[in-house]
Amino acid sequence: MESQKYNKLKENVEHGDFTFPYIWYYTELPEYYTSFPMHWHEEMEIINVFDGEMEINIDLSKHMIHKGEIAVIRPGELHSFRQHKSSQCKFLSLLFHPSLLYNNLSDSTAFRYITPYFENKITGPSVIIPETPGYQEILNNVDRSFEIYDRKQPYYELELKAKLFELLYLILSQCCSANTYPKSLKASTSRNIKTVIDYIQAHYNTCISISRLAELLNLSEHYFMRYFKAHIGITCIEFINDYRLNIAAKLLSETGKPINEIGAEVGISNISYFNRLFKKKFNVTPKEYRFKNHKIE
């Protein structure tokens, strides 16, 4: 099944070559999506907004991010983003795997700085704004890293790796402080949310009951629904449908499968209900969306 490659909360996409796990992505909202649902990955992600604004949720905290601002998403942090009202947003996303910065696990910089930062044992901002200490230096670093990656001149990997170390130095030295409070509650909440969304994204093409999801966390259905919405910002049903529709949009643009077959494949077998949900999310019908975005020659 072609859509199986989209069925995990934890992204299994290889970001960059396995020998150099580093890559930039360009994204526009809205283009294929008006939102991207909650997910996580092992890579650190730096989002540089160069036009417009969007809503972003990082580690269960909501932020508005505007032109010229930078979002910092550490490895393993839950995050999602969506279009703000009718605003457009254009941004570049840098993803790199932490292994790129580990030369030797006994290296003091690894266990004193890098690992504690990646594991959230050092408090730092999720969004870097012009008022953040070190903002201009951090922005210059991110802009320069994109130029290096875009040009790919000889030895560019060495320069990019140097820029990553510089970026972490700037963030740690300018923006961070050691945690002085326990994080067990937030860590437990994050694990619970990951458990639920992992299940949803492994079974999105089947009938998913609220009772089964509540059972995963040993909660009543009523409390589970309140718990999910409080931390994700939308109901569980809305999340499930949003995830299914994002997969459907990819299949519409990348395959020639019939629309009713795509609806059934993502777990929405009632074609009129599928059409209604799709138009509500994308402001166009599935047929119109395919006509506009189809990539198959």
PDB file of all heavy atoms in Angstrom, residues 98-120:
ATOM      1  N   PRO A  98      21.427  14.336  15.519  1.00  0.00           N
ATOM      2  CA  PRO A  98      22.422  14.631  16.556  1.00  0.00           C
ATOM      3  C   PRO A  98      23.758  13.921  16.362  1.00  0.00           C
ATOM      4  O   PRO A  98      24.797  14.436  16.770  1.00  0.00           O
ATOM      5  CB  PRO A  98      21.738  14.163  17.845  1.00  0.00           C
ATOM      6  CG  PRO A  98      20.284  14.273  17.554  1.00  0.00           C
ATOM      7  CD  PRO A  98      20.135  13.932  16.096  1.00  0.00           C
ATOM      8  N   SER A  99      23.729  12.748  15.717  1.00  0.00           N
ATOM      9  CA  SER A  99      24.963  11.994  15.520  1.00  0.00           C
ATOM     10  C   SER A  99      26.009  12.786  14.749  1.00  0.00           C
ATOM     11  O   SER A  99      27.208  12.511  14.845  1.00  0.00           O
ATOM     12  CB  SER A  99      24.675  10.682  14.780  1.00  0.00           C
ATOM     13  OG  SER A  99      24.141  10.940  13.486  1.00  0.00           O
ATOM     14  N   LEU A 100      25.549  13.775  14.001  1.00  0.00           N
ATOM     15  CA  LEU A 100      26.470  14.592  13.209  1.00  0.00           C
ATOM     16  C   LEU A 100      27.436  15.373  14.102  1.00  0.00           C
ATOM     17  O   LEU A 100      28.520  15.749  13.658  1.00  0.00           O
ATOM     18  CB  LEU A 100      25.659  15.562  12.343  1.00  0.00           C
ATOM     19  CG  LEU A 100      26.325  16.161  11.104  1.00  0.00           C
ATOM     20  CD1 LEU A 100      26.855  15.078  10.173  1.00  0.00           C
ATOM     21  CD2 LEU A 100      25.332  17.038  10.367  1.00  0.00           C
ATOM     22  N   LEU A 101      27.045  15.601  15.355  1.00  0.00           N
ATOM     23  CA  LEU A 101      27.865  16.413  16.252  1.00  0.00           C
ATOM     24  C   LEU A 101      28.626  15.596  17.285  1.00  0.00           C
ATOM     25  O   LEU A 101      29.340  16.163  18.112  1.00  0.00           O
ATOM     26  CB  LEU A 101      26.984  17.440  16.978  1.00  0.00           C
ATOM     27  CG  LEU A 101      26.217  18.410  16.081  1.00  0.00           C
ATOM     28  CD1 LEU A 101      25.439  19.403  16.920  1.00  0.00           C
ATOM     29  CD2 LEU A 101      27.167  19.144  15.147  1.00  0.00           C
ATOM     30  N   TYR A 102      28.464  14.272  17.244  1.00  0.00           N
ATOM     31  CA  TYR A 102      29.146  13.432  18.219  1.00  0.00           C
ATOM     32  C   TYR A 102      30.380  12.799  17.587  1.00  0.00           C
ATOM     33  O   TYR A 102      30.271  11.884  16.780  1.00  0.00           O
ATOM     34  CB  TYR A 102      28.219  12.341  18.742  1.00  0.00           C
ATOM     35  CG  TYR A 102      27.137  12.847  19.662  1.00  0.00           C
ATOM     36  CD1 TYR A 102      25.797  12.781  19.299  1.00  0.00           C
ATOM     37  CD2 TYR A 102      27.454  13.394  20.909  1.00  0.00           C
ATOM     38  CE1 TYR A 102      24.795  13.250  20.142  1.00  0.00           C
ATOM     39  CE2 TYR A 102      26.461  13.861  21.755  1.00  0.00           C
ATOM     40  CZ  TYR A 102      25.137  13.780  21.374  1.00  0.00           C
ATOM     41  OH  TYR A 102      24.155  14.246  22.206  1.00  0.00           O
ATOM     42  N   ASN A 103      31.540  13.289  17.969  1.00  0.00           N
ATOM     43  CA  ASN A 103      32.778  12.670  17.516  1.00  0.00           C
ATOM     44  C   ASN A 103      33.177  11.528  18.437  1.00  0.00           C
ATOM     45  O   ASN A 103      33.706  10.511  18.024  1.00  0.00           O
ATOM     46  CB  ASN A 103      33.914  13.705  17.481  1.00  0.00           C
ATOM     47  CG  ASN A 103      33.633  14.829  16.515  1.00  0.00           C
ATOM     48  OD1 ASN A 103      33.174  14.578  15.410  1.00  0.00           O
ATOM     49  ND2 ASN A 103      33.885  16.063  16.922  1.00  0.00           N
ATOM     50  N   ASN A 104      32.904  11.724  19.731  1.00  0.00           N
ATOM     51  CA  ASN A 104      33.290  10.750  20.749  1.00  0.00           C
ATOM     52  C   ASN A 104      32.395  10.992  21.951  1.00  0.00           C
ATOM     53  O   ASN A 104      32.319  12.114  22.460  1.00  0.00           O
ATOM     54  CB  ASN A 104      34.766  10.944  21.122  1.00  0.00           C
ATOM     55  CG  ASN A 104      35.280   9.869  22.062  1.00  0.00           C
ATOM     56  OD1 ASN A 104      34.523   9.327  22.865  1.00  0.00           O
ATOM     57  ND2 ASN A 104      36.566   9.580  21.953  1.00  0.00           N
ATOM     58  N   LEU A 105      31.699   9.959  22.409  1.00  0.00           N
ATOM     59  CA  LEU A 105      30.769  10.146  23.511  1.00  0.00           C
ATOM     60  C   LEU A 105      31.455  10.533  24.812  1.00  0.00           C
ATOM     61  O   LEU A 105      30.815  11.006  25.741  1.00  0.00           O
ATOM     62  CB  LEU A 105      29.939   8.876  23.713  1.00  0.00           C
ATOM     63  CG  LEU A 105      28.946   8.562  22.592  1.00  0.00           C
ATOM     64  CD1 LEU A 105      28.199   7.273  22.887  1.00  0.00           C
ATOM     65  CD2 LEU A 105      27.975   9.706  22.395  1.00  0.00           C
ATOM     66  N   SER A 106      32.772  10.323  24.900  1.00  0.00           N
ATOM     67  CA  SER A 106      33.497  10.735  26.097  1.00  0.00           C
ATOM     68  C   SER A 106      33.992  12.173  25.982  1.00  0.00           C
ATOM     69  O   SER A 106      34.585  12.706  26.912  1.00  0.00           O
ATOM     70  CB  SER A 106      34.687   9.792  26.337  1.00  0.00           C
ATOM     71  OG  SER A 106      35.613   9.871  25.267  1.00  0.00           O
ATOM     72  N   ASP A 107      33.764  12.791  24.823  1.00  0.00           N
ATOM     73  CA  ASP A 107      34.118  14.190  24.624  1.00  0.00           C
ATOM     74  C   ASP A 107      33.339  15.051  25.618  1.00  0.00           C
ATOM     75  O   ASP A 107      32.116  14.950  25.714  1.00  0.00           O
ATOM     76  CB  ASP A 107      33.773  14.571  23.178  1.00  0.00           C
ATOM     77  CG  ASP A 107      34.026  16.041  22.857  1.00  0.00           C
ATOM     78  OD1 ASP A 107      34.471  16.781  23.749  1.00  0.00           O
ATOM     79  OD2 ASP A 107      33.771  16.426  21.709  1.00  0.00           O
ATOM     80  N   SER A 108      34.028  15.909  26.353  1.00  0.00           N
ATOM     81  CA  SER A 108      33.366  16.702  27.394  1.00  0.00           C
ATOM     82  C   SER A 108      32.283  17.614  26.819  1.00  0.00           C
ATOM     83  O   SER A 108      31.286  17.899  27.483  1.00  0.00           O
ATOM     84  CB  SER A 108      34.388  17.543  28.164  1.00  0.00           C
ATOM     85  OG  SER A 108      35.003  18.500  27.313  1.00  0.00           O
ATOM     86  N   THR A 109      32.458  18.089  25.580  1.00  0.00           N
ATOM     87  CA  THR A 109      31.428  18.957  25.009  1.00  0.00           C
ATOM     88  C   THR A 109      30.132  18.195  24.782  1.00  0.00           C
ATOM     89  O   THR A 109      29.047  18.781  24.820  1.00  0.00           O
ATOM     90  CB  THR A 109      31.886  19.569  23.671  1.00  0.00           C
ATOM     91  OG1 THR A 109      32.128  18.535  22.722  1.00  0.00           O
ATOM     92  CG2 THR A 109      33.150  20.397  23.859  1.00  0.00           C
ATOM     93  N   ALA A 110      30.249  16.874  24.560  1.00  0.00           N
ATOM     94  CA  ALA A 110      29.051  16.063  24.344  1.00  0.00           C
ATOM     95  C   ALA A 110      28.258  15.920  25.630  1.00  0.00           C
ATOM     96  O   ALA A 110      27.065  16.222  25.673  1.00  0.00           O
ATOM     97  CB  ALA A 110      29.429  14.685  23.805  1.00  0.00           C
ATOM     98  N   PHE A 111      28.918  15.455  26.722  1.00  0.00           N
ATOM     99  CA  PHE A 111      28.124  15.200  27.924  1.00  0.00           C
ATOM    100  C   PHE A 111      27.892  16.435  28.778  1.00  0.00           C
ATOM    101  O   PHE A 111      27.009  16.449  29.629  1.00  0.00           O
ATOM    102  CB  PHE A 111      28.739  14.064  28.757  1.00  0.00           C
ATOM    103  CG  PHE A 111      30.099  14.332  29.351  1.00  0.00           C
ATOM    104  CD1 PHE A 111      30.222  15.128  30.485  1.00  0.00           C
ATOM    105  CD2 PHE A 111      31.238  13.763  28.814  1.00  0.00           C
ATOM    106  CE1 PHE A 111      31.474  15.360  31.064  1.00  0.00           C
ATOM    107  CE2 PHE A 111      32.492  13.999  29.387  1.00  0.00           C
ATOM    108  CZ  PHE A 111      32.601  14.798  30.502  1.00  0.00           C
ATOM    109  N   ARG A 112      28.643  17.528  28.539  1.00  0.00           N
ATOM    110  CA  ARG A 112      28.417  18.753  29.319  1.00  0.00           C
ATOM    111  C   ARG A 112      27.419  19.691  28.646  1.00  0.00           C
ATOM    112  O   ARG A 112      26.703  20.428  29.333  1.00  0.00           O
ATOM    113  CB  ARG A 112      29.733  19.502  29.535  1.00  0.00           C
ATOM    114  CG  ARG A 112      30.699  18.806  30.481  1.00  0.00           C
ATOM    115  CD  ARG A 112      31.968  19.613  30.668  1.00  0.00           C
ATOM    116  NE  ARG A 112      31.705  20.905  31.320  1.00  0.00           N
ATOM    117  CZ  ARG A 112      32.626  21.864  31.455  1.00  0.00           C
ATOM    118  NH1 ARG A 112      33.841  21.687  30.959  1.00  0.00           N
ATOM    119  NH2 ARG A 112      32.317  22.983  32.067  1.00  0.00           N
ATOM    120  N   TYR A 113      27.383  19.681  27.321  1.00  0.00           N
ATOM    121  CA  TYR A 113      26.571  20.672  26.620  1.00  0.00           C
ATOM    122  C   TYR A 113      25.574  20.064  25.629  1.00  0.00           C
ATOM    123  O   TYR A 113      24.370  20.331  25.711  1.00  0.00           O
ATOM    124  CB  TYR A 113      27.470  21.660  25.865  1.00  0.00           C
ATOM    125  CG  TYR A 113      28.561  22.264  26.706  1.00  0.00           C
ATOM    126  CD1 TYR A 113      29.899  22.096  26.369  1.00  0.00           C
ATOM    127  CD2 TYR A 113      28.260  22.997  27.849  1.00  0.00           C
ATOM    128  CE1 TYR A 113      30.914  22.653  27.132  1.00  0.00           C
ATOM    129  CE2 TYR A 113      29.269  23.556  28.626  1.00  0.00           C
ATOM    130  CZ  TYR A 113      30.591  23.382  28.264  1.00  0.00           C
ATOM    131  OH  TYR A 113      31.583  23.916  29.032  1.00  0.00           O
ATOM    132  N   ILE A 114      26.080  19.277  24.679  1.00  0.00           N
ATOM    133  CA  ILE A 114      25.237  18.847  23.566  1.00  0.00           C
ATOM    134  C   ILE A 114      24.120  17.913  24.029  1.00  0.00           C
ATOM    135  O   ILE A 114      22.937  18.162  23.774  1.00  0.00           O
ATOM    136  CB  ILE A 114      26.089  18.176  22.465  1.00  0.00           C
ATOM    137  CG1 ILE A 114      27.076  19.196  21.889  1.00  0.00           C
ATOM    138  CG2 ILE A 114      25.189  17.630  21.360  1.00  0.00           C
ATOM    139  CD1 ILE A 114      28.051  18.608  20.887  1.00  0.00           C
ATOM    140  N   THR A 115      24.480  16.829  24.725  1.00  0.00           N
ATOM    141  CA  THR A 115      23.460  15.881  25.170  1.00  0.00           C
ATOM    142  C   THR A 115      22.444  16.511  26.122  1.00  0.00           C
ATOM    143  O   THR A 115      21.234  16.328  25.936  1.00  0.00           O
ATOM    144  CB  THR A 115      24.111  14.651  25.816  1.00  0.00           C
ATOM    145  OG1 THR A 115      24.923  13.976  24.821  1.00  0.00           O
ATOM    146  CG2 THR A 115      23.066  13.675  26.336  1.00  0.00           C
ATOM    147  N   PRO A 116      22.877  17.274  27.152  1.00  0.00           N
ATOM    148  CA  PRO A 116      21.875  17.919  28.018  1.00  0.00           C
ATOM    149  C   PRO A 116      20.935  18.847  27.254  1.00  0.00           C
ATOM    150  O   PRO A 116      19.743  18.915  27.564  1.00  0.00           O
ATOM    151  CB  PRO A 116      22.730  18.697  29.029  1.00  0.00           C
ATOM    152  CG  PRO A 116      24.019  17.971  29.067  1.00  0.00           C
ATOM    153  CD  PRO A 116      24.240  17.478  27.662  1.00  0.00           C
ATOM    154  N   TYR A 117      21.462  19.550  26.249  1.00  0.00           N
ATOM    155  CA  TYR A 117      20.593  20.436  25.474  1.00  0.00           C
ATOM    156  C   TYR A 117      19.596  19.629  24.660  1.00  0.00           C
ATOM    157  O   TYR A 117      18.396  19.927  24.646  1.00  0.00           O
ATOM    158  CB  TYR A 117      21.413  21.338  24.556  1.00  0.00           C
ATOM    159  CG  TYR A 117      20.546  22.229  23.692  1.00  0.00           C
ATOM    160  CD1 TYR A 117      19.825  23.283  24.260  1.00  0.00           C
ATOM    161  CD2 TYR A 117      20.414  21.997  22.329  1.00  0.00           C
ATOM    162  CE1 TYR A 117      18.994  24.083  23.469  1.00  0.00           C
ATOM    163  CE2 TYR A 117      19.592  22.794  21.544  1.00  0.00           C
ATOM    164  CZ  TYR A 117      18.892  23.831  22.119  1.00  0.00           C
ATOM    165  OH  TYR A 117      18.065  24.616  21.340  1.00  0.00           O
ATOM    166  N   PHE A 118      20.064  18.602  23.956  1.00  0.00           N
ATOM    167  CA  PHE A 118      19.172  17.782  23.155  1.00  0.00           C
ATOM    168  C   PHE A 118      18.124  17.076  24.012  1.00  0.00           C
ATOM    169  O   PHE A 118      17.008  16.820  23.556  1.00  0.00           O
ATOM    170  CB  PHE A 118      19.964  16.744  22.361  1.00  0.00           C
ATOM    171  CG  PHE A 118      20.690  17.313  21.167  1.00  0.00           C
ATOM    172  CD1 PHE A 118      21.774  16.632  20.612  1.00  0.00           C
ATOM    173  CD2 PHE A 118      20.310  18.501  20.595  1.00  0.00           C
ATOM    174  CE1 PHE A 118      22.450  17.138  19.514  1.00  0.00           C
ATOM    175  CE2 PHE A 118      20.971  19.025  19.492  1.00  0.00           C
ATOM    176  CZ  PHE A 118      22.047  18.337  18.949  1.00  0.00           C
ATOM    177  N   GLU A 119      18.471  16.737  25.246  1.00  0.00           N
ATOM    178  CA  GLU A 119      17.551  16.023  26.136  1.00  0.00           C
ATOM    179  C   GLU A 119      16.711  16.972  26.989  1.00  0.00           C
ATOM    180  O   GLU A 119      16.058  16.549  27.941  1.00  0.00           O
ATOM    181  CB  GLU A 119      18.328  15.054  27.016  1.00  0.00           C
ATOM    182  CG  GLU A 119      18.965  13.917  26.234  1.00  0.00           C
ATOM    183  CD  GLU A 119      19.717  12.932  27.123  1.00  0.00           C
ATOM    184  OE1 GLU A 119      19.867  13.219  28.334  1.00  0.00           O
ATOM    185  OE2 GLU A 119      20.143  11.886  26.600  1.00  0.00           O
ATOM    186  N   ASN A 120      16.745  18.263  26.678  1.00  0.00           N
ATOM    187  CA  ASN A 120      15.924  19.258  27.368  1.00  0.00           C
ATOM    188  C   ASN A 120      16.275  19.425  28.840  1.00  0.00           C
ATOM    189  O   ASN A 120      15.433  19.814  29.650  1.00  0.00           O
ATOM    190  CB  ASN A 120      14.439  18.924  27.237  1.00  0.00           C
ATOM    191  CG  ASN A 120      13.733  19.844  26.266  1.00  0.00           C
ATOM    192  OD1 ASN A 120      14.049  21.024  26.189  1.00  0.00           O
ATOM    193  ND2 ASN A 120      12.781  19.312  25.520  1.00  0.00           N
TER     194      ASN A 120
END
